[in-house]
Amino acid sequence: MNTQVETVDTVGQTYHLEITCPLGLENVLEQELHSEGLMGTRLGEAQVKLTTDLEGMYKACLWSRVATRVMLPVANFKMESADDLYEGVKAIEWSDHMTAANTIAIDCHGTNHHIRNTQFGSVRAKDAIADYFVALSGERPNVEKVQPDIRISIRIKRDIVTVSIDLSGDSMHRRDYRQQGSMAPLKENLAAGLLLRADWNRDCGLTQLIDPMCGSGTFLVEAAMMSLDMAPGLRRGYWGFKGWKQHDHRLWQQLMDFAKNRKKDPAELGIRFQGTDREQRAIAASRENIKRAGLVGVIDVSMASFQQHDFVIEQEKPGLVICNPPYGERLGDEMALIALYRQLGEWVVTHVRGWQFMMLTSNDHLARQIPVRPEKSTRVINGGLECRAYRFPLLDGYIKEDAVAQSIMTPGAQMFANRLQKNAKKLKKWVEKNNIECYRVYDADMPEYAVAIDVYQDWAHVQEYKAPKSVDPEKATQRLFEVVSSIPTALNIAEANVIVKHRQKQTGKAQYEKLDQSNHEIIVKEYGCEFIVNLKDYLDTGLFLDHRPVRKLIQDRANGKRFLNLFCYTASASVHAGEGGARSSLSVDMSNTYTEWARRNIELNEFSERDHKVERADCIEWLRHSNDEFDLIFMDPPTFSNSKKMSEILDIQRDHGELLRLAMARLAKDGELIFSNNYRRFVLDKDIEEEFSVQNITKLSMDPDFERNTKIHQCWILRHRSEG
């Protein structure tokens, strides 16, 4: 068929452009274009259509802070087959825009029944352009994917194809002041659009801007560039129009020179830009970006939490607080961020009343922690997430005074905080006397708040128990919010140091699966031993706190002994044995993760690898084939395991008899075997009690922090019966 191609006339002085932008900022982009005298606009979805001349096109490229790309549509046509795409692209008068000597790149967006793959669409379009020039001159343009002379966009929407020349050549959010690989996900043009939405511009009259969680400083740099009237496109060396046949180099250079002269003198600015962030990496990135943007001395950033930083604030002058705090994409993250958002809200109300506050987040629940009614919100997309930018006027009538007065804590949260403080006070003397850094401060004391809270130095590790089906999920979530929001105040722990996990029955390989990839580790001490714990990446941390007394018992009895640690986990018991003077130790576990962790713990405590070995093996199979003898054995097997690494399924109630007999066969005549498990309904086989001397030490194996949960484990010492 003959494809009917509607060709757009670009040879004259008028150009019909499509200027794309972040979704939700179309009005902001239009107002920005109007401020540069570009009035021929029409709104679209995530774009503004602009009719202008060549100078207007250059102005849009040079001065738009919000635009993503400046596109020049050259044709659109209907496509009823894959051949129609080829014919339609080939019918365009490409010689009006380029020569065969130019390099090209083709970006295809969208698919339909005829073009099912964007790469196929790009190839068909490239073939059409190549064949056009071969027919014209016998030569064809080469492909250059990185910085081509001409970048061409093929957009397929249902059966309509739009072919455009990308005059920007690359996304215009790249201002060339931010290093590649910078940690901040917020794009420069989105940051600029939100600043404009918050009424920050070169003539706004605001004299102070604070970003309390500045990351790599994008809001601060963009705001300073606006105030100094620095053209956002001034630093860019690559533009798509530079290889375009209709490019007027002299006109572009004139506009560039004018933009350089238009910049204000920073010394006469009279605006203070301040930012803080707790992360050293973020502050290092922000300082580098400030330097690359030429804004040293204009923007001040400090490594500190906003709660503790002494900002310079002139109360009589108006200002803006704007930030992009963490969103909490997972449940545990969200819980830990509640207190952060509440403290942020309390801080702005207390310190900058009368200012404006804008906050970007993807989490509506977290946004509601701010004790201010938003004036408006803007829906945008950031990093693939649907977000809202909330604008909060910090004025009477918008501020929820009652919420601030109550330290923004609900009655339920206050009740829970009271319980936490009571528990912490009760344990305080014991903790200080024994120099204990890790302990349980709460374990479902109140049934409606079904969590366990462990303190690890200045961190709180919260595990939510799986709620019964009879519990309303919304109520359970609300109670978890109350738990987390109360911890920073009750335990004097920073809100960022509250880690939340959902605990449920773990079987087989799920016991070892990672929850995260943060590699967040700290070193804790216990009775002279040091241990690596990971609070984020696994369900368990690497240290079972309820076995603290058992580890101390092993340490006290290990001097000169040969120690065997079965189902060793991270070998904390072996470390205690080594600290107690054990002649040797062998730690056995079938998990690669935990045996490697065990080696690191042993190395951390500077014990010899020759005398303190770690072996990865199925403990049952290892016992069946071992002939070694030990003076002290510790065994804390899982309740159930069906791991593929094991030769058979382990059920501790069913299999403990055989397991204990195998272990006792490896125990020296006068030795001791310490056996523990956490199966609440476990009953020790009576035959075992008849065969061996058995001492139940469960009560002795509980420290004060586990007195309320006496069923967390059961523990026995087994010895060989003396002959006669």
Side-chain angles (χ1 to χ4, degrees):
M1 62 174 288
N2 292 323
T3 304
Q4 297 297 313
V5 178
E6 179 188 340
T7 303
V8 181
D9 180 15
T10 60
V11 179
Q13 296 298 308
T14 301
Y15 299 91
H16 302 284
L17 306 174
E18 293 181 354
I19 305 179
T20 63
C21 67
L23 187 69
L25 296 179
E26 298 88 351
N27 285 316
V28 177
L29 173 58
E30 184 178 48
Q31 292 168 12
E32 181 185 50
L33 294 172
H34 289 177
S35 71
E36 294 298 327
L38 306 175
M39 307 304 293
T41 57
R42 185 160 55 91
L43 291 177
E45 184 180 14
Q47 67 172 236
V48 174
K49 297 186 178 183
L50 172 67
T51 301
T52 187
D53 57 11
L54 191 61
E55 180 177 348
M57 184 273 287
Y58 287 148
K59 282 184 176 181
C61 288
L62 184 58
W63 284 102
S64 178
R65 304 178 191 280
V66 185
T68 303
R69 293 182 185 270
V70 175
M71 311 293 288
L72 174 64
V74 294
N76 61 72
F77 52 86
K78 191 172 183 179
M79 180 180 64
E80 296 180 354
S81 69
D83 289 340
D84 289 349
L85 174 63
Y86 172 89
E87 296 295 341
V89 173
K90 187 179 179 184
I92 297 168
E93 291 297 333
W94 289 106
S95 58
D96 290 343
H97 306 288
M98 58 180 286
T99 70
N102 289 131
T103 57
I104 62 172
I106 299 176
D107 302 317
C108 182
H109 307 279
T111 58
N112 61 17
H113 293 301
H114 312 295
I115 304 294
R116 298 177 181 272
N117 182 285
T118 55
Q119 186 176 0
F120 175 67
S122 296
V123 170
R124 291 296 284 159
K126 175 191 69 79
D127 291 343
I129 296 170
D131 290 348
Y132 169 91
F133 280 103
V134 168
L136 190 69
S137 63
E139 298 179 350
R140 65 174 63 208
N142 291 322
V143 172
E144 169 55 58
K145 294 183 179 180
V146 180
Q147 290 189 351
D149 297 328
I150 302 290
R151 184 173 290 279
I152 298 160
S153 170
I154 308 293
R155 188 173 73 246
I156 301 171
K157 190 172 183 179
R158 292 186 286 275
D159 61 348
I160 300 298
V161 178
T162 302
V163 182
S164 304
I165 294 175
D166 183 351
L167 298 173
S168 45
D170 195 4
S171 176
M172 289 168 58
H173 82 270
R174 295 189 174 95
R175 321 278 205 229
D176 283 357
Y177 67 76
R178 196 166 79 184
Q179 291 179 300
Q180 293 296 318
S182 175
M183 62 182 292
L186 187 66
K187 289 184 178 179
E188 293 88 328
N189 62 332
L190 177 56
L194 296 179
L195 283 160
L196 290 167
R197 180 70 84 193
D199 293 335
W200 186 277
N201 56 63
R202 64 183 180 233
D203 301 316
C204 64
L206 299 175
T207 59
Q208 302 176 82
L209 185 138
I210 292 175
D211 185 345
M213 287 173 265
C214 67
S216 61
T218 310
F219 276 132
L220 294 165
V221 172
E222 290 296 319
M225 289 176 65
M226 288 183 194
S227 298
L228 288 167
D229 212 9
M230 294 171 62
L234 201 57
R235 294 175 54 90
R236 285 169 54 103
Y238 171 67
W239 290 96
F241 57 72
K242 286 192 173 181
W244 181 45
K245 210 171 182 181
Q246 297 175 43
H247 173 48
D248 186 334
H249 176 75
R250 180 177 297 179
L251 176 59
W252 171 247
Q253 194 58 52
Q254 288 174 352
L255 292 172
M256 288 277 286
D257 293 340
F258 177 76
K260 292 174 184 177
N261 294 328
R262 187 168 139 177
K263 176 186 173 183
K264 294 180 182 178
D265 184 353
E268 300 175 0
L269 190 58
I271 299 176
R272 179 175 283 115
F273 300 90
Q274 301 175 81
T276 58
D277 201 284
R278 292 172 53 131
E279 297 292 332
Q280 182 178 6
R281 188 164 64 102
I283 291 300
S286 64
R287 286 176 176 158
E288 180 63 24
N289 293 338
I290 290 165
K291 179 181 177 181
R292 289 164 63 93
L295 296 171
V296 174
V298 178
I299 301 171
D300 178 56
V301 293
S302 303
M303 191 178 77
S305 66
F306 66 86
Q307 303 97 317
Q308 299 172 338
H309 186 66
D310 187 16
F311 289 98
V312 179
I313 298 172
E314 298 181 63
Q315 296 291 350
E316 69 279 4
K317 294 184 178 181
L320 170 68
V321 174
I322 187 167
C323 66
N324 176 33
Y327 303 158
E329 295 174 42
R330 297 180 310 153
L331 176 64
D333 296 332
E334 182 180 359
M335 299 296 118
L337 291 172
I338 292 172
L340 175 65
Y341 275 69
R342 291 185 174 182
Q343 290 190 14
L344 175 62
E346 189 175 37
W347 185 89
V348 294
V349 168
T350 303
H351 292 84
V352 291
R353 190 179 287 248
W355 288 24
Q356 290 286 330
F357 171 41
M358 177 168 274
M359 180 184 73
L360 179 67
T361 182
S362 68
N363 193 313
D364 291 341
H365 187 90
L366 290 174
R368 288 196 292 272
Q369 308 308 312
I370 305 297
V372 185
R373 278 181 286 275
E375 179 183 43
K376 60 178 69 173
S377 67
T378 302
R379 185 175 73 92
V380 296
I381 304 296
N382 179 31
L385 294 174
E386 183 174 319
C387 302
R388 283 196 173 273
Y390 294 89
R391 181 170 170 176
F392 302 96
L394 303 176
L395 303 168
D396 294 343
Y398 288 93
I399 297 171
K400 303 172 186 177
E401 301 289 357
D402 291 343
V404 178
Q406 296 170 10
S407 299
I408 12 183
M409 192 177 286
T410 65
Q414 188 63 61
M415 178 181 68
F416 190 81
N418 293 341
R419 174 56 68 98
L420 274 186
Q421 289 173 330
K422 179 181 177 182
N423 288 2
K425 184 178 180 181
K426 181 181 177 182
L427 294 170
K428 184 177 180 182
K429 287 185 179 179
W430 168 74
V431 166
E432 292 176 349
K433 179 182 177 181
N434 293 279
N435 196 26
I436 290 173
E437 294 186 343
C438 313
Y439 57 94
R440 179 152 295 182
V441 72
Y442 177 91
D443 196 352
D445 302 16
M446 298 181 285
E448 63 270 33
Y449 293 97
V451 299
I453 302 176
D454 297 323
V455 173
Y456 287 80
Q457 296 173 341
D458 56 352
W459 292 79
H461 183 258
V462 182
Q463 298 176 85
E464 181 194 21
Y465 295 120
K466 187 175 182 180
K469 293 182 179 180
S470 58
V471 175
D472 183 349
E474 289 190 12
K475 285 186 178 180
T477 300
Q478 180 58 37
R479 286 168 182 159
L480 190 54
F481 280 131
E482 291 173 343
V483 166
V484 175
S485 64
S486 68
I487 289 174
T489 301
L491 300 179
N492 192 28
I493 287 175
E495 70 286 335
N497 287 15
V498 180
I499 309 300
V500 182
K501 295 173 186 169
H502 182 74
R503 176 173 280 282
Q504 54 188 342
K505 185 177 180 181
Q506 298 289 297
T507 58
K509 122 177 188 184
Q511 299 173 76
Y512 312 106
E513 286 183 347
K514 272 201 167 189
L515 303 177
D516 203 347
Q517 299 287 336
S518 67
N519 295 319
H520 180 275
E521 295 180 343
I522 61 174
I523 295 175
V524 299
K525 295 180 180 179
E526 180 183 275
Y527 296 122
C529 303
E530 292 186 329
F531 300 109
I532 300 165
V533 298
N534 186 320
L535 301 181
K536 294 184 178 181
D537 291 351
Y538 300 91
L539 185 63
D540 293 311
T541 65
L543 189 66
F544 292 135
L545 301 187
D546 60 306
H547 277 147
R548 186 189 311 108
V550 178
R551 289 191 290 269
K552 183 63 166 62
L553 177 68
I554 290 169
Q555 183 172 330
D556 292 341
R557 300 192 179 194
N559 189 33
K561 304 286 179 65
R562 298 164 295 176
F563 178 66
L564 173 62
N565 188 357
L566 296 168
F567 307 96
C568 73
Y569 189 40
T570 60
S572 53
S574 302
V575 172
H576 275 279
E579 183 67 21
R583 182 171 37 158
S584 65
S585 71
L586 175 62
S587 304
V588 183
D589 199 286
M590 67 178 175
S591 165
N592 283 319
T593 299
Y594 293 140
T595 51
E596 179 58 30
W597 200 331
R599 290 186 182 96
R600 293 173 64 208
N601 273 334
I602 289 171
E603 181 182 355
L604 176 65
N605 289 271
E606 300 181 351
F607 296 133
S608 164
E609 290 184 17
R610 182 191 63 189
D611 297 327
H612 299 275
K613 296 181 172 64
V614 178
E615 183 173 340
R616 188 182 72 80
D618 175 345
C619 289
I620 298 175
E621 285 299 307
W622 184 90
L623 284 170
R624 286 171 178 163
H625 296 92
S626 174
N627 293 314
D628 296 333
E629 185 176 82
F630 300 89
D631 307 300
L632 182 61
I633 299 175
F634 176 55
M635 184 166 60
D636 179 34
T639 298
F640 178 84
S641 180
N642 61 354
S643 171
K644 292 180 180 178
K645 296 177 183 177
M646 295 184 67
S647 60
E648 54 197 77
I649 294 173
L650 172 65
D651 181 322
I652 194 60
Q653 182 61 69
R654 182 192 66 196
D655 301 327
H656 74 275
E658 179 190 5
L659 188 57
L660 287 172
R661 291 182 180 94
L662 286 170
M664 291 297 288
R666 306 273 60 80
L667 186 68
K669 180 180 178 182
D670 297 325
E672 294 179 324
L673 184 151
I674 302 172
F675 169 58
S676 176
N677 73 78
N678 61 358
Y679 180 41
R680 287 176 177 252
R681 297 196 296 271
F682 180 82
V683 177
L684 189 67
D685 189 338
K686 290 184 178 180
D687 290 342
I688 292 293
E689 295 186 86
E690 292 178 3
E691 289 179 46
F692 307 105
S693 173
V694 178
Q695 178 187 1
N696 190 325
I697 62 166
T698 301
K699 288 185 178 180
L700 299 175
S701 69
M702 297 289 181
D703 266 347
D705 54 336
F706 285 93
E707 284 180 350
R708 290 197 75 261
N709 188 3
T710 56
K711 294 184 178 180
I712 195 164
H713 69 243
Q714 298 185 68
C715 195
W716 296 264
I717 295 179
L718 280 69
R719 303 177 182 89
H720 292 295
R721 289 191 179 276
S722 57
E723 295 179 4

